[in-house]
Amino acid sequence: MSKEITSRAEDYSQWYNDLVIKGQLADYSAVRGCMVIKPYGFALWENMRDALDKMFKDTGHVNAYFPLFIPKSFLSKEAAHVEGFAKECAVVTHYRLKNDPNGGGIIVDPDAKLEEELIVRPTSETIIWNTYKDWIQSYRDLPLLINQWANVVRWEMRTRLFLRTAEFLWQEGHTAHATKEEAIEETKKMLDVYADFVENWMALPVIKGIKTESERFAGAEDTYCIEALMQDGKALQAGTSHFLGQNFAKAFDVKFSNKENQLDYVWATSWGVSTRLVGALVMAHSDDQGLILPPRIAPWQVVIVPIYKGEEQKAMIDVKAKELIASLKDKGIRVKYDDNDNARPGWKFAEYEMKGVPVRITLGARDLENNLAEIARRDTKEKKSISMDGLPEQISDLLEEIQQNMFNRAKHYRDEHITPADTWEQFEKLLDEKTGFISAHWDGTAETEEAIKDKTKATIRCIPLANKQETGKCILSGKDSVQRVLFARAY
RNA sequence: CGGGACGUAGCGCAGCCCGGUAGCGCACUUGCAUGGGGUGCAAGGGGUCGCUAGUUCGAAUCUAGUCGUCCCGACCA
């Protein structure tokens, strides 16, 4: 059939692309490196966004919006920051087009050159801190807890749907605090919010940790992260939260008067997750038949497929289906009734499996006679007929069970793929054959980290929070080490 | 930016080597049957073969250039 999916075993990358395209999440666009997020994919993102947005509000944050364009001079105010992003910035140089006098269509008007070029934001620290300077005078103005939902552009060489596109959607939180301790607390709090969201809504277990210097966000003192494991054994950074110290406050001269009326620079954090999470979701849970979406964020939690011969049966099933839909909606369940007569039931079964709808209810004339409905769950592919009495309650429970099962399954896989290595031979063998996270000693130097990356393509994903302190010898250099860190090949 | 592959109907592809005015599957339209795992039969509609130039009586096919996309690397969330 036209909708066949490449199997994971055959070609994992192609499998992923097939799921995104054939599951109707997104499409390639006419613009290199940019994708179109289709309605089904966007509905998924909206559910994720809404859940996160509520969590941000519940922790005292408010939303605002800052400009897409950033004056070039702003970006260069923080040295490490500009160095981190300079290589991948889109630059606006002109503000007008005109008809080509030589008849070549539309051209950029050379007379409309901007005095100062504008950078399309790769992230908004600079424009935001330039603004905060005017908003903050006193400790009474702090903390400032602002988030924005926005698009950003990073001109990537190589792109992949959702995982790495030139333009992507995200949220970026930017907070200002009176003390270092409070800023660090905020950084960790938001990391907890991310972990909570990804684990409880996306059913994807994560490891909370801190990045090494070379993996740290450009301009940060410390970068905290949550790392998830995909089914091919590669790690994926699912979210980051940065303690920015006073770096941006100093670069943009943001000072406040404390209670003792002394001037000091404010302390900052920033944190973000992006549409990349959609990619993580796809790669972590799905199978060779298509997507498997966790109920809490699935656009449709239940699909009802009627099976009938002729208008008479259809009318009877419609009546029963409408009752069922009403009672499911009463329970807050997102349900779709697919009574489209152009597609056969078998086609619909395959289609909704492709799209990862957690539960399918099949309703036929035979079922009606026996007061039954056939329910099929996407995560285990189990099918059974159950009584229509009390069905909404059972569906509600089933959705919760699926959510749990998906998390447990992913966690089991993840836990099975954290393996200690004590020799270099073992380290390389595990990376190639078992994959996943390798827990190994590291001497703490960027040189060794780089050397390991060159040899194996594996990077240090993070130093887990509350990591066990344990003396040992570095896996590569053999020098003294005080703790194990997590290595993996990563997206 | 290096390596590989590909641009022919909405999608997936064949045709190209050996030049003669385009075909298959899916999708679409109409009808009938069918309907509990990607339905069957019949009849239809749709393409300046990525673009530009050249060779030729004649180019999807040969030559040169150009644009674009995907895959694998280096870089990155």
Side-chain angles (χ1 to χ4, degrees):
Chain A
M1 294 308 299
S2 62
K3 286 227 169 176
E4 256 171 38
I5 298 172
T6 307
S7 74
R8 283 167 290 188
E10 190 184 330
D11 184 343
Y12 191 86
S13 289
Q14 193 54 47
W15 167 77
Y16 173 79
N17 288 337
D18 284 355
L19 290 192
V20 172
I21 300 290
K22 291 172 181 169
Q24 307 266 301
L25 297 178
D27 243 333
Y28 294 107
S29 74
V31 187
R32 184 195 188 95
C34 296
M35 65 175 171
V36 175
I37 303 177
K38 297 184 77 174
Y40 190 63
F42 202 79
L44 180 60
W45 171 244
E46 280 177 315
N47 287 341
M48 293 164 68
R49 188 191 63 188
D50 291 350
L52 277 166
D53 197 64
K54 181 166 188 311
M55 293 168 99
F56 298 156
K57 304 259 171 76
D58 287 348
T59 44
H61 302 84
V62 292
N63 285 331
Y65 187 79
F66 294 86
L68 171 68
F69 301 118
I70 298 173
K72 191 177 74 178
S73 58
F74 281 23
L75 213 67
S76 53
K77 287 192 178 180
E78 213 287 330
H81 188 65
V82 67
E83 200 182 322
F85 286 104
K87 298 187 298 293
E88 50 189 31
C89 285
V91 184
V92 179
T93 56
H94 292 75
Y95 59 85
R96 194 162 61 208
L97 300 172
K98 67 172 189 180
N99 283 315
D100 184 355
N102 304 319
I106 292 280
I107 60 165
V108 173
D109 187 343
D111 295 333
K113 191 161 167 27
L114 289 169
E115 224 164 89
E116 180 178 3
E117 290 94 340
L118 296 172
I119 312 303
V120 181
R121 63 180 165 218
T123 179
S124 302
E125 273 77 4
T126 57
I127 185 77
I128 285 176
W129 281 91
N130 180 72
T131 309
Y132 281 3
K133 174 187 160 74
D134 297 333
W135 291 359
I136 297 168
Q137 275 86 40
S138 153
Y139 71 93
R140 294 171 196 274
D141 299 321
L142 298 172
L144 191 56
L145 306 173
I146 293 181
N147 175 64
Q148 88 164 343
W149 290 95
N151 58 338
V152 287
V153 168
R154 296 180 189 175
W155 211 263
E156 298 290 349
M157 288 301 187
R158 215 180 133 223
T159 57
R160 292 197 66 190
L161 295 165
F162 286 113
L163 295 176
R164 190 178 300 108
T165 47
E167 180 192 13
F168 57 93
L169 305 183
W170 78 343
Q171 58 69 217
E172 45 182 325
H174 296 274
T175 69
H177 306 265
T179 66
K180 179 179 180 178
E181 292 68 33
E182 192 185 304
I184 291 175
E185 190 186 325
E186 166 79 4
T187 310
K188 291 180 176 170
K189 181 200 285 176
M190 297 322 289
L191 189 76
D192 287 342
V193 165
Y194 286 154
D196 179 11
F197 170 74
V198 174
E199 297 201 329
N200 292 314
W201 291 75
M202 294 176 60
L204 187 53
V206 294
I207 293 167
K208 289 188 265 192
I210 190 159
K211 288 290 189 189
T212 62
E213 188 180 347
S214 56
E215 296 276 327
R216 189 180 294 159
F217 173 73
E221 296 282 311
D222 277 316
T223 288
Y224 293 80
C225 63
I226 48 173
E227 292 284 328
L229 191 62
M230 304 297 103
Q231 290 183 61
D232 61 347
K234 285 171 82 172
L236 185 144
Q237 178 176 302
T240 50
S241 183
H242 315 290
F243 168 59
L244 300 174
Q246 294 175 312
N247 293 344
F248 285 92
K250 285 177 179 165
F252 288 88
D253 196 34
V254 186
K255 293 180 193 161
F256 73 105
S257 304
N258 63 20
K259 284 181 186 170
E260 287 75 43
N261 200 29
Q262 294 162 323
L263 275 182
D264 195 7
Y265 290 109
V266 303
W267 297 84
T269 82
S270 70
W271 26 274
V273 296
S274 71
T275 37
R276 187 178 219 211
L277 285 177
V278 176
L281 187 72
V282 170
M283 280 203 293
H285 293 306
S286 306
D287 65 18
D288 291 349
Q289 275 68 52
L291 301 170
I292 303 179
L293 302 180
R296 294 189 79 178
I297 54 172
W300 302 311
Q301 297 171 306
V302 174
V303 61
I304 300 175
V305 177
I307 296 177
Y308 53 89
K309 285 183 207 177
E311 287 303 314
E312 203 176 312
Q313 284 191 359
K314 171 70 166 49
M316 282 165 57
I317 291 168
D318 274 349
V319 171
K320 203 73 188 169
K322 295 224 162 86
E323 282 173 24
L324 180 58
I325 291 163
S327 55
L328 287 170
K329 281 188 174 165
D330 275 351
K331 295 204 161 294
I333 294 169
R334 296 184 289 275
V335 54
K336 178 185 172 70
Y337 181 45
D338 187 353
D339 64 345
N340 179 359
D341 193 42
N342 294 328
R344 304 286 82 66
W347 190 92
K348 291 176 185 175
F349 295 169
E351 182 67 13
Y352 292 109
E353 268 161 26
M354 177 86 73
K355 290 191 161 183
V357 178
V359 173
R360 182 186 74 228
I361 300 177
T362 310
L363 220 48
R366 226 157 61 200
D367 299 307
L368 253 52
E369 284 173 25
N370 302 308
N371 195 39
L372 291 173
E374 183 193 76
I375 60 174
R377 52 188 285 188
R378 179 64 183 87
D379 61 334
T380 60
K381 301 219 193 65
E382 284 172 290
K383 284 197 289 196
K384 59 181 174 184
S385 285
I386 64 170
S387 167
M388 292 283 282
D389 303 328
L391 187 60
E393 288 73 22
Q394 292 207 45
I395 295 293
S396 186
D397 291 347
L398 179 61
L399 288 171
E400 195 47 46
E401 190 187 324
I402 291 171
Q403 181 82 28
Q404 268 307 316
N405 180 53
M406 288 180 67
F407 178 79
N408 293 342
R409 192 157 72 179
K411 185 164 190 301
H412 178 76
Y413 176 84
R414 198 277 311 273
D415 291 345
E416 289 293 303
H417 286 82
I418 303 176
T419 319
D422 293 310
T423 67
W424 181 252
E425 292 67 36
Q426 207 183 355
F427 183 84
E428 284 191 306
K429 192 166 189 279
L430 284 167
L431 267 179
D432 286 337
E433 291 171 18
K434 184 173 176 185
T435 73
F437 292 110
I438 315 293
S439 176
H441 279 283
W442 165 59
D443 64 19
T445 68
E447 292 71 34
T448 300
E449 187 179 4
E450 180 71 20
I452 292 173
K453 186 179 175 184
D454 287 345
K455 283 175 190 292
T456 64
K457 289 176 190 148
T459 50
I460 298 176
R461 299 320 302 158
C462 69
I463 303 160
L465 296 186
N467 204 21
K468 191 171 103 187
Q469 299 299 294
E470 158 197 318
T471 55
K473 300 290 182 190
C474 174
I475 196 80
L476 183 68
S477 70
K479 291 179 191 160
D480 288 340
S481 156
V482 296
Q483 61 181 342
R484 289 174 183 271
V485 300
L486 290 180
F487 289 87
R489 294 197 177 118
Y491 280 97

PDB file of all heavy atoms in Angstrom, chain A residues 386-411:
ATOM      1  N   ILE A 386     -16.381  -5.452  25.242  1.00  0.00           N
ATOM      2  CA  ILE A 386     -16.888  -5.258  26.592  1.00  0.00           C
ATOM      3  C   ILE A 386     -18.279  -4.650  26.525  1.00  0.00           C
ATOM      4  O   ILE A 386     -18.689  -4.101  25.508  1.00  0.00           O
ATOM      5  CB  ILE A 386     -15.951  -4.367  27.444  1.00  0.00           C
ATOM      6  CG1 ILE A 386     -15.875  -2.965  26.853  1.00  0.00           C
ATOM      7  CG2 ILE A 386     -14.571  -4.982  27.553  1.00  0.00           C
ATOM      8  CD1 ILE A 386     -15.166  -2.002  27.778  1.00  0.00           C
ATOM      9  N   SER A 387     -18.978  -4.739  27.650  1.00  0.00           N
ATOM     10  CA  SER A 387     -20.353  -4.265  27.712  1.00  0.00           C
ATOM     11  C   SER A 387     -20.413  -2.753  27.561  1.00  0.00           C
ATOM     12  O   SER A 387     -19.539  -2.030  28.018  1.00  0.00           O
ATOM     13  CB  SER A 387     -20.967  -4.669  29.052  1.00  0.00           C
ATOM     14  OG  SER A 387     -22.183  -3.977  29.246  1.00  0.00           O
ATOM     15  N   MET A 388     -21.462  -2.273  26.905  1.00  0.00           N
ATOM     16  CA  MET A 388     -21.662  -0.844  26.739  1.00  0.00           C
ATOM     17  C   MET A 388     -21.971  -0.175  28.082  1.00  0.00           C
ATOM     18  O   MET A 388     -21.767   1.024  28.244  1.00  0.00           O
ATOM     19  CB  MET A 388     -22.837  -0.585  25.785  1.00  0.00           C
ATOM     20  CG  MET A 388     -22.576  -0.985  24.351  1.00  0.00           C
ATOM     21  SD  MET A 388     -21.529   0.194  23.476  1.00  0.00           S
ATOM     22  CE  MET A 388     -22.716   1.482  23.135  1.00  0.00           C
ATOM     23  N   ASP A 389     -22.468  -0.969  29.037  1.00  0.00           N
ATOM     24  CA  ASP A 389     -22.776  -0.395  30.350  1.00  0.00           C
ATOM     25  C   ASP A 389     -21.481  -0.004  31.055  1.00  0.00           C
ATOM     26  O   ASP A 389     -20.574  -0.813  31.186  1.00  0.00           O
ATOM     27  CB  ASP A 389     -23.543  -1.414  31.215  1.00  0.00           C
ATOM     28  CG  ASP A 389     -24.825  -1.870  30.522  1.00  0.00           C
ATOM     29  OD1 ASP A 389     -25.405  -1.041  29.788  1.00  0.00           O
ATOM     30  OD2 ASP A 389     -25.200  -3.047  30.688  1.00  0.00           O
ATOM     31  N   GLY A 390     -21.421   1.213  31.480  1.00  0.00           N
ATOM     32  CA  GLY A 390     -20.236   1.671  32.193  1.00  0.00           C
ATOM     33  C   GLY A 390     -19.023   1.832  31.296  1.00  0.00           C
ATOM     34  O   GLY A 390     -17.886   1.929  31.768  1.00  0.00           O
ATOM     35  N   LEU A 391     -19.246   1.874  29.990  1.00  0.00           N
ATOM     36  CA  LEU A 391     -18.132   1.984  29.045  1.00  0.00           C
ATOM     37  C   LEU A 391     -17.303   3.263  29.239  1.00  0.00           C
ATOM     38  O   LEU A 391     -16.068   3.190  29.259  1.00  0.00           O
ATOM     39  CB  LEU A 391     -18.657   1.902  27.602  1.00  0.00           C
ATOM     40  CG  LEU A 391     -17.597   1.830  26.512  1.00  0.00           C
ATOM     41  CD1 LEU A 391     -16.724   0.598  26.689  1.00  0.00           C
ATOM     42  CD2 LEU A 391     -18.239   1.817  25.132  1.00  0.00           C
ATOM     43  N   PRO A 392     -17.953   4.427  29.395  1.00  0.00           N
ATOM     44  CA  PRO A 392     -17.152   5.652  29.559  1.00  0.00           C
ATOM     45  C   PRO A 392     -16.163   5.560  30.724  1.00  0.00           C
ATOM     46  O   PRO A 392     -15.017   5.984  30.591  1.00  0.00           O
ATOM     47  CB  PRO A 392     -18.210   6.730  29.809  1.00  0.00           C
ATOM     48  CG  PRO A 392     -19.427   6.214  29.139  1.00  0.00           C
ATOM     49  CD  PRO A 392     -19.387   4.720  29.352  1.00  0.00           C
ATOM     50  N   GLU A 393     -16.620   4.972  31.846  1.00  0.00           N
ATOM     51  CA  GLU A 393     -15.726   4.842  33.007  1.00  0.00           C
ATOM     52  C   GLU A 393     -14.541   3.940  32.655  1.00  0.00           C
ATOM     53  O   GLU A 393     -13.403   4.216  33.001  1.00  0.00           O
ATOM     54  CB  GLU A 393     -16.477   4.248  34.205  1.00  0.00           C
ATOM     55  CG  GLU A 393     -17.485   5.184  34.858  1.00  0.00           C
ATOM     56  CD  GLU A 393     -18.744   5.398  34.006  1.00  0.00           C
ATOM     57  OE1 GLU A 393     -19.039   4.550  33.133  1.00  0.00           O
ATOM     58  OE2 GLU A 393     -19.413   6.438  34.206  1.00  0.00           O
ATOM     59  N   GLN A 394     -14.864   2.852  31.946  1.00  0.00           N
ATOM     60  CA  GLN A 394     -13.800   1.905  31.594  1.00  0.00           C
ATOM     61  C   GLN A 394     -12.799   2.528  30.632  1.00  0.00           C
ATOM     62  O   GLN A 394     -11.599   2.285  30.734  1.00  0.00           O
ATOM     63  CB  GLN A 394     -14.418   0.654  30.967  1.00  0.00           C
ATOM     64  CG  GLN A 394     -15.233  -0.155  31.954  1.00  0.00           C
ATOM     65  CD  GLN A 394     -15.267  -1.617  31.569  1.00  0.00           C
ATOM     66  OE1 GLN A 394     -14.245  -2.203  31.227  1.00  0.00           O
ATOM     67  NE2 GLN A 394     -16.450  -2.198  31.632  1.00  0.00           N
ATOM     68  N   ILE A 395     -13.313   3.337  29.695  1.00  0.00           N
ATOM     69  CA  ILE A 395     -12.425   3.998  28.743  1.00  0.00           C
ATOM     70  C   ILE A 395     -11.523   4.981  29.479  1.00  0.00           C
ATOM     71  O   ILE A 395     -10.320   5.069  29.236  1.00  0.00           O
ATOM     72  CB  ILE A 395     -13.242   4.744  27.661  1.00  0.00           C
ATOM     73  CG1 ILE A 395     -14.025   3.752  26.807  1.00  0.00           C
ATOM     74  CG2 ILE A 395     -12.327   5.599  26.789  1.00  0.00           C
ATOM     75  CD1 ILE A 395     -13.187   2.839  25.951  1.00  0.00           C
ATOM     76  N   SER A 396     -12.118   5.693  30.390  1.00  0.00           N
ATOM     77  CA  SER A 396     -11.371   6.664  31.184  1.00  0.00           C
ATOM     78  C   SER A 396     -10.228   5.979  31.939  1.00  0.00           C
ATOM     79  O   SER A 396      -9.092   6.444  31.940  1.00  0.00           O
ATOM     80  CB  SER A 396     -12.332   7.352  32.151  1.00  0.00           C
ATOM     81  OG  SER A 396     -11.683   8.374  32.832  1.00  0.00           O
ATOM     82  N   ASP A 397     -10.550   4.852  32.552  1.00  0.00           N
ATOM     83  CA  ASP A 397      -9.526   4.088  33.269  1.00  0.00           C
ATOM     84  C   ASP A 397      -8.475   3.542  32.311  1.00  0.00           C
ATOM     85  O   ASP A 397      -7.286   3.541  32.609  1.00  0.00           O
ATOM     86  CB  ASP A 397     -10.159   2.904  34.020  1.00  0.00           C
ATOM     87  CG  ASP A 397     -11.028   3.381  35.181  1.00  0.00           C
ATOM     88  OD1 ASP A 397     -10.932   4.569  35.531  1.00  0.00           O
ATOM     89  OD2 ASP A 397     -11.811   2.560  35.709  1.00  0.00           O
ATOM     90  N   LEU A 398      -8.949   3.089  31.162  1.00  0.00           N
ATOM     91  CA  LEU A 398      -8.041   2.496  30.182  1.00  0.00           C
ATOM     92  C   LEU A 398      -7.025   3.534  29.691  1.00  0.00           C
ATOM     93  O   LEU A 398      -5.840   3.235  29.532  1.00  0.00           O
ATOM     94  CB  LEU A 398      -8.833   1.926  28.999  1.00  0.00           C
ATOM     95  CG  LEU A 398      -8.001   1.294  27.886  1.00  0.00           C
ATOM     96  CD1 LEU A 398      -7.185   0.120  28.416  1.00  0.00           C
ATOM     97  CD2 LEU A 398      -8.883   0.833  26.731  1.00  0.00           C
ATOM     98  N   LEU A 399      -7.504   4.747  29.464  1.00  0.00           N
ATOM     99  CA  LEU A 399      -6.595   5.810  28.995  1.00  0.00           C
ATOM    100  C   LEU A 399      -5.483   6.035  30.022  1.00  0.00           C
ATOM    101  O   LEU A 399      -4.317   6.196  29.676  1.00  0.00           O
ATOM    102  CB  LEU A 399      -7.375   7.110  28.751  1.00  0.00           C
ATOM    103  CG  LEU A 399      -8.289   7.094  27.516  1.00  0.00           C
ATOM    104  CD1 LEU A 399      -9.180   8.334  27.501  1.00  0.00           C
ATOM    105  CD2 LEU A 399      -7.467   7.018  26.235  1.00  0.00           C
ATOM    106  N   GLU A 400      -5.876   6.022  31.277  1.00  0.00           N
ATOM    107  CA  GLU A 400      -4.890   6.219  32.337  1.00  0.00           C
ATOM    108  C   GLU A 400      -3.908   5.049  32.365  1.00  0.00           C
ATOM    109  O   GLU A 400      -2.700   5.230  32.525  1.00  0.00           O
ATOM    110  CB  GLU A 400      -5.629   6.360  33.673  1.00  0.00           C
ATOM    111  CG  GLU A 400      -4.778   6.927  34.793  1.00  0.00           C
ATOM    112  CD  GLU A 400      -3.992   8.166  34.385  1.00  0.00           C
ATOM    113  OE1 GLU A 400      -4.563   9.079  33.743  1.00  0.00           O
ATOM    114  OE2 GLU A 400      -2.781   8.205  34.672  1.00  0.00           O
ATOM    115  N   GLU A 401      -4.439   3.851  32.155  1.00  0.00           N
ATOM    116  CA  GLU A 401      -3.598   2.662  32.154  1.00  0.00           C
ATOM    117  C   GLU A 401      -2.598   2.705  30.991  1.00  0.00           C
ATOM    118  O   GLU A 401      -1.437   2.335  31.130  1.00  0.00           O
ATOM    119  CB  GLU A 401      -4.488   1.424  32.046  1.00  0.00           C
ATOM    120  CG  GLU A 401      -3.748   0.121  32.273  1.00  0.00           C
ATOM    121  CD  GLU A 401      -4.651  -1.078  31.991  1.00  0.00           C
ATOM    122  OE1 GLU A 401      -5.864  -1.003  32.296  1.00  0.00           O
ATOM    123  OE2 GLU A 401      -4.135  -2.076  31.460  1.00  0.00           O
ATOM    124  N   ILE A 402      -3.070   3.164  29.843  1.00  0.00           N
ATOM    125  CA  ILE A 402      -2.190   3.262  28.674  1.00  0.00           C
ATOM    126  C   ILE A 402      -1.074   4.270  28.937  1.00  0.00           C
ATOM    127  O   ILE A 402       0.097   4.029  28.637  1.00  0.00           O
ATOM    128  CB  ILE A 402      -3.000   3.660  27.414  1.00  0.00           C
ATOM    129  CG1 ILE A 402      -3.931   2.505  27.001  1.00  0.00           C
ATOM    130  CG2 ILE A 402      -2.080   4.040  26.271  1.00  0.00           C
ATOM    131  CD1 ILE A 402      -4.923   2.870  25.919  1.00  0.00           C
ATOM    132  N   GLN A 403      -1.466   5.405  29.518  1.00  0.00           N
ATOM    133  CA  GLN A 403      -0.474   6.432  29.848  1.00  0.00           C
ATOM    134  C   GLN A 403       0.625   5.816  30.728  1.00  0.00           C
ATOM    135  O   GLN A 403       1.807   5.984  30.478  1.00  0.00           O
ATOM    136  CB  GLN A 403      -1.168   7.586  30.589  1.00  0.00           C
ATOM    137  CG  GLN A 403      -0.243   8.737  30.960  1.00  0.00           C
ATOM    138  CD  GLN A 403      -0.008   9.702  29.801  1.00  0.00           C
ATOM    139  OE1 GLN A 403      -0.845   9.851  28.923  1.00  0.00           O
ATOM    140  NE2 GLN A 403       1.144  10.341  29.799  1.00  0.00           N
ATOM    141  N   GLN A 404       0.199   5.089  31.759  1.00  0.00           N
ATOM    142  CA  GLN A 404       1.128   4.454  32.690  1.00  0.00           C
ATOM    143  C   GLN A 404       1.992   3.402  31.996  1.00  0.00           C
ATOM    144  O   GLN A 404       3.201   3.343  32.179  1.00  0.00           O
ATOM    145  CB  GLN A 404       0.363   3.790  33.835  1.00  0.00           C
ATOM    146  CG  GLN A 404       0.174   4.677  35.044  1.00  0.00           C
ATOM    147  CD  GLN A 404       1.497   5.268  35.530  1.00  0.00           C
ATOM    148  OE1 GLN A 404       2.519   4.580  35.609  1.00  0.00           O
ATOM    149  NE2 GLN A 404       1.494   6.557  35.822  1.00  0.00           N
ATOM    150  N   ASN A 405       1.333   2.583  31.200  1.00  0.00           N
ATOM    151  CA  ASN A 405       2.035   1.501  30.514  1.00  0.00           C
ATOM    152  C   ASN A 405       3.116   2.042  29.579  1.00  0.00           C
ATOM    153  O   ASN A 405       4.213   1.499  29.490  1.00  0.00           O
ATOM    154  CB  ASN A 405       1.029   0.639  29.741  1.00  0.00           C
ATOM    155  CG  ASN A 405       1.716  -0.498  29.023  1.00  0.00           C
ATOM    156  OD1 ASN A 405       2.461  -1.263  29.632  1.00  0.00           O
ATOM    157  ND2 ASN A 405       1.497  -0.602  27.720  1.00  0.00           N
ATOM    158  N   MET A 406       2.766   3.120  28.892  1.00  0.00           N
ATOM    159  CA  MET A 406       3.743   3.705  27.967  1.00  0.00           C
ATOM    160  C   MET A 406       4.961   4.231  28.720  1.00  0.00           C
ATOM    161  O   MET A 406       6.099   4.058  28.292  1.00  0.00           O
ATOM    162  CB  MET A 406       3.097   4.832  27.145  1.00  0.00           C
ATOM    163  CG  MET A 406       2.122   4.312  26.099  1.00  0.00           C
ATOM    164  SD  MET A 406       1.368   5.631  25.131  1.00  0.00           S
ATOM    165  CE  MET A 406       2.802   6.239  24.234  1.00  0.00           C
ATOM    166  N   PHE A 407       4.686   4.855  29.857  1.00  0.00           N
ATOM    167  CA  PHE A 407       5.800   5.354  30.665  1.00  0.00           C
ATOM    168  C   PHE A 407       6.646   4.199  31.194  1.00  0.00           C
ATOM    169  O   PHE A 407       7.874   4.215  31.092  1.00  0.00           O
ATOM    170  CB  PHE A 407       5.288   6.201  31.838  1.00  0.00           C
ATOM    171  CG  PHE A 407       6.401   6.696  32.727  1.00  0.00           C
ATOM    172  CD1 PHE A 407       7.163   7.787  32.345  1.00  0.00           C
ATOM    173  CD2 PHE A 407       6.702   6.060  33.924  1.00  0.00           C
ATOM    174  CE1 PHE A 407       8.205   8.233  33.139  1.00  0.00           C
ATOM    175  CE2 PHE A 407       7.753   6.500  34.723  1.00  0.00           C
ATOM    176  CZ  PHE A 407       8.505   7.593  34.331  1.00  0.00           C
ATOM    177  N   ASN A 408       5.983   3.187  31.706  1.00  0.00           N
ATOM    178  CA  ASN A 408       6.713   2.047  32.266  1.00  0.00           C
ATOM    179  C   ASN A 408       7.565   1.348  31.210  1.00  0.00           C
ATOM    180  O   ASN A 408       8.703   0.951  31.473  1.00  0.00           O
ATOM    181  CB  ASN A 408       5.741   1.041  32.887  1.00  0.00           C
ATOM    182  CG  ASN A 408       5.058   1.615  34.120  1.00  0.00           C
ATOM    183  OD1 ASN A 408       5.532   2.606  34.699  1.00  0.00           O
ATOM    184  ND2 ASN A 408       3.947   1.029  34.518  1.00  0.00           N
ATOM    185  N   ARG A 409       6.984   1.210  30.030  1.00  0.00           N
ATOM    186  CA  ARG A 409       7.698   0.537  28.955  1.00  0.00           C
ATOM    187  C   ARG A 409       8.947   1.329  28.557  1.00  0.00           C
ATOM    188  O   ARG A 409      10.025   0.773  28.404  1.00  0.00           O
ATOM    189  CB  ARG A 409       6.749   0.401  27.752  1.00  0.00           C
ATOM    190  CG  ARG A 409       7.217  -0.498  26.679  1.00  0.00           C
ATOM    191  CD  ARG A 409       6.048  -1.017  25.856  1.00  0.00           C
ATOM    192  NE  ARG A 409       5.485   0.026  25.005  1.00  0.00           N
ATOM    193  CZ  ARG A 409       4.463  -0.188  24.165  1.00  0.00           C
ATOM    194  NH1 ARG A 409       3.901  -1.375  24.086  1.00  0.00           N
ATOM    195  NH2 ARG A 409       3.999   0.794  23.426  1.00  0.00           N
ATOM    196  N   ALA A 410       8.767   2.642  28.426  1.00  0.00           N
ATOM    197  CA  ALA A 410       9.898   3.490  28.060  1.00  0.00           C
ATOM    198  C   ALA A 410      10.948   3.512  29.169  1.00  0.00           C
ATOM    199  O   ALA A 410      12.144   3.510  28.919  1.00  0.00           O
ATOM    200  CB  ALA A 410       9.422   4.908  27.749  1.00  0.00           C
ATOM    201  N   LYS A 411      10.457   3.484  30.414  1.00  0.00           N
ATOM    202  CA  LYS A 411      11.383   3.523  31.546  1.00  0.00           C
ATOM    203  C   LYS A 411      12.167   2.218  31.651  1.00  0.00           C
ATOM    204  O   LYS A 411      13.365   2.223  31.916  1.00  0.00           O
ATOM    205  CB  LYS A 411      10.631   3.772  32.851  1.00  0.00           C
ATOM    206  CG  LYS A 411      11.553   3.950  34.050  1.00  0.00           C
ATOM    207  CD  LYS A 411      10.836   4.571  35.223  1.00  0.00           C
ATOM    208  CE  LYS A 411      11.787   4.971  36.327  1.00  0.00           C
ATOM    209  NZ  LYS A 411      12.568   3.850  36.865  1.00  0.00           N
TER     210      LYS A 411
END
